[in-house]
Amino acid sequence: MAMKKVLMLLKPSHFSLPPSSTTHPLIRFLESRNKVHHDAINFCQAILRKKSFEWKALMRNNLSHPINDVDLVITVGGDGTLLQASHFMDDKIPVLGVNSDPTQIDEVEQFSNEFDATRSTGQLCAATVENFEQVLDSILEGQIVPSNLTRVITSVNAQRLSTYALNDILVAHPCPASLSRFSLRIRKNDHDQPCSPLVNCRSSGLRISTAAGSTAAMHSAGGFPMPILSQDLQYMVREPISSGAVPDFMHGFVKHDQTMHTTWSSRKGVIYVDGAHINHTIQDGDIIEISSKAPTLKVFLPYQLL
């Protein structure tokens, strides 16, 4: 792979140690996480300094414009850093995720009765400090190629939202204790013939995930992990009050050649894109269209996912 410019996106780390709590195991754990992450950044940057291409580092929170004019994006953090980078990327530039602070199973077991010692999952990260240079060299030599991951495109009243979801979207009332009213129907993209009946819902909202996001909140809610390269979407009506005459359509799939048409029937609503940070307000009567027609994201994936 020809490489002239590389952008390294970094997860920020802000951790200050309370002076009176330095011996508490949780404080020591957090301090360790901070050090491991910073050591990983320094290690990866030292590797890049040995290469012949131009590169620059940027904190992910300082990213505000679409990423272009680079040949590769390297994220150092976890899945959250890669996810944030994806919101500024099209389908042309590949991304390599480096898990800077992988979870240590023995550590989780050691502190299981005191606190959650889980570090970073890094589901989509193909590298750690242990193999970063090896993976990078394999990319430069063309020995490994990126995979195309499906993303969600969402429109409200025929106006496309600017951010594509790599994991999932959640459509719900902004208050978690309030009822979400909506109807949904799935149609083929090339004609108006419906693929499902009209489903009227009163529930806690609607979640739609990609294959990449199917192992996250969707799986926790009872959904199915999907093959990582699937072009379909999975949806689930969250905590339906009554499934009425169409219980089979509370959970299912939107195929790659289909679109879900949803009519929002509550006074307030929000579309959350890949978590809480990116959201779009909706109101009674809004028409929401959801499909997998978004540009894909090129990601160098861990071997075990493929």
Side-chain angles (χ1 to χ4, degrees), residues 203-223:
S203 72
S204 296
L206 173 68
R207 187 182 300 278
I208 303 96
S209 85
T210 63
S214 66
T215 58
M218 179 62 75
H219 190 210
S220 297

Side-chain angles (χ1 to χ4, degrees), residues 68-198:
N68 48 45
D69 296 329
V70 299
D71 302 300
L72 174 67
V73 174
I74 299 174
T75 62
V76 182
D79 287 334
T81 305
L82 193 151
L83 203 64
Q84 189 164 348
S86 75
H87 297 157
F88 296 88
M89 299 179 67
D90 58 18
D91 56 354
K92 298 178 179 63
I93 301 171
V95 57
L96 167 66
V98 180
N99 186 351
S100 63
D101 187 25
T103 293
Q104 309 296 326
I105 300 300
D106 56 342
E107 188 177 50
V108 173
E109 294 175 351
Q110 176 185 352
F111 296 112
S112 60
N113 292 325
E114 299 181 59
F115 56 86
D116 181 9
T118 302
R119 293 179 180 245
S120 176
T121 302
Q123 174 84 358
L124 300 177
C125 296
T128 65
V129 293
E130 300 296 329
N131 67 347
F132 172 64
E133 186 168 20
Q134 176 187 351
V135 172
L136 181 60
D137 287 344
S138 295
I139 291 173
L140 295 174
E141 295 165 8
Q143 296 177 3
I144 58 176
V145 295
S147 300
N148 294 314
L149 294 189
T150 294
R151 293 192 281 186
V152 182
I153 186 170
T154 309
S155 297
V156 178
N157 300 328
Q159 297 296 312
R160 181 178 63 83
L161 301 190
S162 59
T163 303
Y164 307 124
L166 179 59
N167 265 5
D168 56 28
I169 68 167
L170 172 65
V171 188
H173 194 284
C175 174
S178 293
L179 189 68
S180 295
R181 295 176 181 267
F182 57 92
S183 61
L184 65 88
R185 174 175 273 161
I186 299 171
R187 295 181 182 273
K188 275 274 199 179
N189 290 336
D190 54 357
H191 52 71
D192 287 335
Q193 184 68 29
C195 303
S196 75
L198 181 67

Side-chain angles (χ1 to χ4, degrees), residues 287-304:
I287 308 297
I288 308 161
E289 296 181 12
I290 303 158
S291 74
S292 60
K293 293 187 292 184
T296 58
L297 182 72
K298 293 184 181 298
V299 183
F300 291 100
L301 292 173
Y303 175 78
Q304 62 268 22

